[in-house]
Amino acid sequence: MSACVPTRHNRTSRSSRPPRASGVKRPHSPPPPRGGRFRIAGADVSASITVFLLAVPMSLGLAVAMDAPLQAGLISAAIGGIVAGLLGGTPLQVSGPSAGLTVVTAELIQVYGWRTTCAITIGAGLLQILLGSLRAARSALAVSPAIVHGTLAGIGVAIALAQLHIVLGGSPQSSAVANALALPDQLGRLRPAAPLIGALTIAVLVLWPRIPGRIGSGARRVPAALVAVVTATTVAALAAPGIARVDLPSWRSHVLPEMPHGPVLALATAVFTVMLVASLESLLAAMAVDKLSAAPTARASASSPPPPGSPTTPASSTPTSSAPTSSAPSASPSPPSPPAPPVRRADLDRELRAQGIANTLSGLVGGLAVSGGAVRSSANVRAGAQGRASTVLHGVWVLLATGLLVTVLEWIPLAALAALVMMVGIQMVSLAHIRNVHKHREFLVYGATITGVVLFGVLKGVTIGIAVAVAVALHRLARTRITVTDQGGEHLVVVRGQLTFLAVPRLSRTLGQLPQDGSAVVELDGFFMDHAAYEAIKDWSTAQAAHGGRVVFTGRSGGRIAEPASAAHSCCRPWTPWRNHHCHDEPGRAPEAGHGPGTPCTGARPGTDPIGTPHDMPHNTPTPTPAPASEPASAPGSSPSPDVAPGRDPAPSLHRSPARTTGPPVGAARPPVGAARPAGGNRLISGLSSFQRNTAPLVREELARLAAEGQRPSQLFITCADSRLVTSMITASGPGDLFTVRNIGNLVPLPNAESGDDSVGAAIEYAVDVLKVESITICGHSGCGAMQALLGAKPDPQTPPTSLWRWLRHGLPSLERMASRHHAWARISGRLPTDALEQLCLTNVVQQLDHLRAHESVARRLAEGTLRLHGMYFHVGEAQAYLLTEGASSGLELDEVFDRVDPGDPADSGELERAGI
């Protein structure tokens, strides 16, 4: 069997690994602690004040929800900020009283009393320190996300039910079930003061972040929680002076922990429960902070965006971060600015140890249990925090407030704090998480966990969720249906479900009953095959061939999974010649060898293995895309794979052309810098020979069908002629999918424009009126040489304009739009454009969409509702696509934002389906 020996990529070779002393960490290792002095930046001070104003009402509200001393909430907020902030592995994460432990702590206080609850908090902290020292933080995240988010959602439901009673003017019961049953009676004893204050608080919380325009942009700098509590306090002081308010007892009455009293097993269970919930909440929040801080300008998002028409780099300046392309001339770039320091990943083990130390200290001084909070942390990041100084200072401000602002805090109505905490509980039931678990077919696990937490408590709910998850996994593994149909001398064997060792006896018995010299088609419809099932199928196939039988393996759509024998001799994938043509660049090797430099390939055994193995997989086939473990591989849009291996998709969908591909070949090495490359003519000949030898046999049937039926593309794709933009690669499309128009700068001249170009207009008219395309996409890209030329100096008026400049004049409206104050800045979601060149590339896409709407055929189809327009931006260096928001693509007066296209299951990617890509 053939076996390809891939070489190391340059980025993973030992010589390219950074030394340990360099401070640059490897991708999967935690970052080292930052050395040097504790630095306080101005942005950290302002961010700390923002978080402090959010943390005080939340801490008091959580203390009220837990029926704990109110000082305990402030103590835990101060310790969480100072101790966890100084020692934690996530510098921007803000710790404080745990919302996830609200129900657990309330039950512990009711059963054991406050002093024993503090001792339990100490035990949980010591256990966290131990687990962090054993580097168990990453293992904690191995729990199914459906269970984790189901647990937090169940806690959120319990919090909301309990706080609803306080909002209605009553007192919460001991459990979520009791709160739900007591709700009708509470509604019967309703008094208007507390519900109205609670409703006012909720209304401000909901509406404050949604204030539109520049007023809203400035207002959002003040936390909604602070505004809601201040508003409710002011209204209550004027309209309801007798309403129940915060009562901070004297610090002289503050009690410290005592030795716990009670059954040892029950106390150990309580310690474990507090540790589990606090750790999961902290680690999930740390991962969320990692994602937020990964955006280049996430920490500066609190600052208002530049006014329209005021780019960070003047339109007439020369961009500094993009090299000119061969498609257009450019001015000499200025020296590049120094790169921003890489964002350090969270050290989860260090974070877990810091949370343990904070919990231990908080319990010792009579505070609540501490955990990292996603709400406080996201506010810290969005307020512009630069380091851990913001977190620490927020704790200092809370500590000062506990001694200096007691009189002010005692004016806050309890109904306002209850409404604030109730909204926190409601937000813990995330619709995004529900959609995600439903997409991965884990909603049963999610629902069982929520139900268990609400009915029986956190620990029992988690246990129920794990049990249901195991049962679902076993059911999926054991559910395999095998049917045999005689189709006039040929037997069709359909195998639906996963092929594991559990199905091997039934599979072997079924296959053994078929005639050994007959013809059989085996349709494999599943997404997993283990080694036992693979060996059983392969042995049976070999025995059939030895007796003169014929076996064909197919997927659900009927596409064959076997490969031609001639294709097993090459390690190159013919759909990736764009990778520097490495298959033809090795000196001294004939083109027929088809190997990249340093990529030796052993001799291939003649013949065809119908269900290839991982080590003999034909490497000249399109790169397969494994389906997610929870989705059938035959879902529409999945990439084809011509063979099956243990643990891989045995039956990918082949309903599209075999020309699909998703990335470069695994193990392909880039030719050394300066290595000799064949001349253009030789490279063209060798590439054509490679196509005829390796690719043509795979696509001949599909191209013959297209030749007979004619083309019926679904979309017109207008993009730049830049050689780095490979449309079929970035859209995962094949023959017959795209009607493509490429020109310098992806420009669309206005109809009847002076010095216009009728070729683009003719292509648009033909695609819209004759081919009846359903969508038109205009795709710009980073580092566009045409846009760079527009930013440069205009040609001398005394010199006759060249053909290139006459064409680039169609891009002048984009330059004017970028400098105009009447148009919003086009921008990328999550960050502003890096420089004037990227801003112009984005603006040009929006402007050319306006030009496109001016064409009569396009305007008519848009009015009929049978055509859709899309804007797209492709960042070449990041290999990342961005889509213009649907409203902006339709010409509505909305923000022109290009949203990032995230990787995912193509069958479930609604955004890509809407874009027609």
Side-chain angles (χ1 to χ4, degrees), residues 846-867:
V846 180
Q847 182 64 35
Q848 300 311 312
L849 284 171
D850 285 349
H851 290 184
L852 188 60
R853 296 185 192 98
H855 285 257
E856 180 182 355
S857 57
V858 175
R860 184 180 65 257
R861 289 280 304 278
L862 287 175
E864 295 172 355
T866 58
L867 182 67

Side-chain angles (χ1 to χ4, degrees), residues 160-211:
L161 286 174
Q163 296 312 294
L164 182 58
H165 281 272
I166 300 179
V167 171
L168 296 176
S171 300
Q173 304 298 316
S174 58
S175 65
V177 176
N179 282 318
L181 294 177
L183 195 58
D185 183 62
Q186 182 65 55
L187 292 173
R189 296 182 285 107
L190 193 64
R191 295 183 179 180
L196 289 176
I197 294 298
L200 176 63
T201 305
I202 294 173
V204 175
L205 285 172
V206 173
L207 298 177
W208 186 258
R210 292 171 170 79
I211 299 177

Side-chain angles (χ1 to χ4, degrees), residues 119-140:
I120 292 173
T121 302
I122 296 173
L126 295 175
L127 190 55
Q128 283 180 310
I129 296 174
L130 175 62
L131 293 177
S133 301
L134 296 176
R135 300 186 178 276
R138 291 280 176 185
S139 301

